Amino acid sequence: MKNLNKYHGVVVPMVTPITKENDIDVAAVERIIENFAQNNVSALIMGTTGEGNSVSVEQGAKMIEAAAKTAKGRITIYAGLAGNCVSEQYAAAKKFIEAGADVIAATLPCYYALTPEQMYDYYKNLADFLTIPLMLYNITITTHMSIPMDVIEKLSHHPNIVGLKDSENNIPRMEEALKLFADREDFAYFCGCAANSAKALSLGADGIVPSVGNFLPKMYNDLFVAGINGDMETCQKLQEETIEIGKINTTGLTLGQSLAGLKVIMKLYGLCETYMLAPLTELDADTVKKIENEAKVQLNIGK
């Protein structure tokens, strides 16, 4: 069995539940977090799946506060930090910390293409500023930049930088990262590409970050436990099942549409409504019906 880093396990990139009035649905936040806690998975609030760039600072703090109060220390609350104005990011981080976040997970400001030196300075300065730990968050699909491995390795020795969530779908890069970090007790590696979860765990990853965990937290916790215990047959079987389930709300859809589809499935489980934050929108009726029908068959909902 792998020796677990302090930061480990399944961290679900949680959806942002919204009311019809375009505010945070606190009751839904409480339901989702309680479901996570009962299945031993933590939450990343305001990540890409959580429409992070569309959530106001006030809404984010409100959601973190509700999540932290519900979690009661049973799971780790990671707060996503995104945006292009660094001074506003610092102000937001302070509010998220006051609201109860345990760790800040920050993506690169991405309006301008950054040099490796600028990436390093951004994270180093942020880590110096924060009063809670910082996790690096690499996601090329939205930032259109990849944090170089030598920059990550250098940052990994900062006393307030505790890990990397890497959502880049790049197996050679993941293999390189885990050669560097798999045995590090002071720096955790989280695989943010859910389809590569089993592979990452076989190489010594500390955690996985799957969006399907929003409605199937137990399945992903079972996958994680099998992986760290070396039961790769069970881990791979669950991996294949989750990949097929993940196609329900992603096939033929853009990233933004797939997030709306995820909420359609979550509504079937009674976890949240389907409202989205602008500029994203709810899906058309035909697409909703298609997702509902496929989910009911594959997931045996209502049977």
Side-chain angles (χ1 to χ4, degrees):
M1 178 177 175
K2 174 181 168 62
N3 291 324
L4 295 176
N5 189 286
K6 176 181 178 181
Y7 299 99
H8 67 269
V10 181
V11 178
V12 176
M14 180 178 149
V15 302
T16 296
I18 299 298
T19 66
K20 188 176 182 179
E21 292 72 33
N22 211 39
D23 196 5
I24 298 299
D25 187 340
V26 171
V29 172
E30 293 170 349
R31 286 194 297 274
I32 294 167
I33 291 293
E34 184 58 36
N35 194 29
F36 288 174
Q38 289 183 9
N39 289 285
N40 197 35
V41 307
S42 294
L44 168 60
I45 293 172
M46 292 177 293
T48 302
T49 303
E51 305 166 70
N53 275 282
S54 302
V55 180
S56 72
V57 174
E58 292 73 19
Q59 287 176 321
K62 183 176 183 179
M63 186 161 48
I64 291 166
E65 183 176 14
K69 285 182 177 178
T70 304
K72 298 176 183 176
R74 292 174 291 171
I75 59 175
T76 304
I77 302 298
Y78 297 80
L81 188 66
N84 289 309
C85 178
V86 172
S87 63
E88 289 181 355
Q89 282 193 327
Y90 281 33
K94 284 187 67 175
K95 291 187 177 181
F96 297 164
I97 293 167
E98 291 168 359
D102 299 308
V103 178
I104 295 293
T107 57
L108 288 169
C110 58
Y111 186 82
Y112 302 105
L114 303 179
T115 67
E117 293 77 16
Q118 290 168 334
M119 295 180 193
Y120 174 82
D121 287 345
Y122 166 74
Y123 279 119
K124 191 237 182 239
N125 294 336
L126 180 59
D128 288 343
F129 170 80
L130 294 176
T131 56
I132 62 173
L134 171 64
M135 182 162 286
L136 313 177
Y137 185 170
N138 183 61
I139 180 163
T140 55
I141 194 172
T142 58
T143 66
H144 309 291
M145 290 180 283
S146 177
I147 309 170
M149 200 54 61
D150 60 338
V151 172
I152 294 170
E153 201 284 328
K154 186 177 179 182
L155 287 166
S156 75
H157 298 286
H158 190 291
N160 201 36
I161 296 178
V162 297
L164 166 69
K165 173 190 181 289
D166 202 331
S167 298
E168 187 170 337
N169 188 6
N170 183 330
I171 295 294
R173 174 185 168 89
M174 181 173 73
E175 292 173 339
E176 180 186 357
L178 285 166
K179 284 180 182 178
L180 289 170
F181 306 127
D183 297 323
R184 285 273 299 273
E185 295 183 359
D186 60 337
F187 190 79
Y189 178 92
F190 282 78
C191 176
C193 183
N196 297 335
S197 296
K199 175 73 171 177
L201 291 170
S202 75
L203 296 173
D206 297 284
I208 54 178
V209 190
S211 62
V212 170
N214 273 282
F215 57 89
L216 292 177
K218 183 181 184 303
M219 178 176 282
Y220 264 105
N221 190 55
D222 289 346
L223 186 157
F224 173 77
V225 171
I228 61 171
N229 285 327
D231 181 2
M232 296 314 300
E233 181 179 354
T234 298
C235 186
Q236 187 59 43
K237 177 177 180 292
L238 290 169
Q239 176 76 91
E240 291 168 4
E241 290 178 13
T242 57
I243 287 173
E244 288 305 308
I245 292 168
K247 292 177 182 178
I248 298 172
N249 66 293
T250 59
T251 300
L253 300 177
T254 66
L255 174 58
Q257 289 174 319
S258 75
L259 303 183
L262 178 58
K263 288 186 180 179
V264 170
I265 300 172
M266 293 184 71
K267 184 173 181 179
L268 293 176
Y269 280 94
L271 291 167
C272 72
E273 295 296 327
T274 59
Y275 305 116
M276 302 294 290
L277 286 167
L280 299 183
T281 57
E282 294 181 69
L283 298 171
D284 63 85
D286 288 344
T287 305
V288 168
K289 195 66 178 176
K290 179 176 180 291
I291 291 173
E292 287 177 340
N293 289 340
E294 290 183 9
K296 287 174 181 177
V297 170
Q298 286 200 46
L299 301 170
N300 294 316
I301 299 172
K303 294 183 180 180

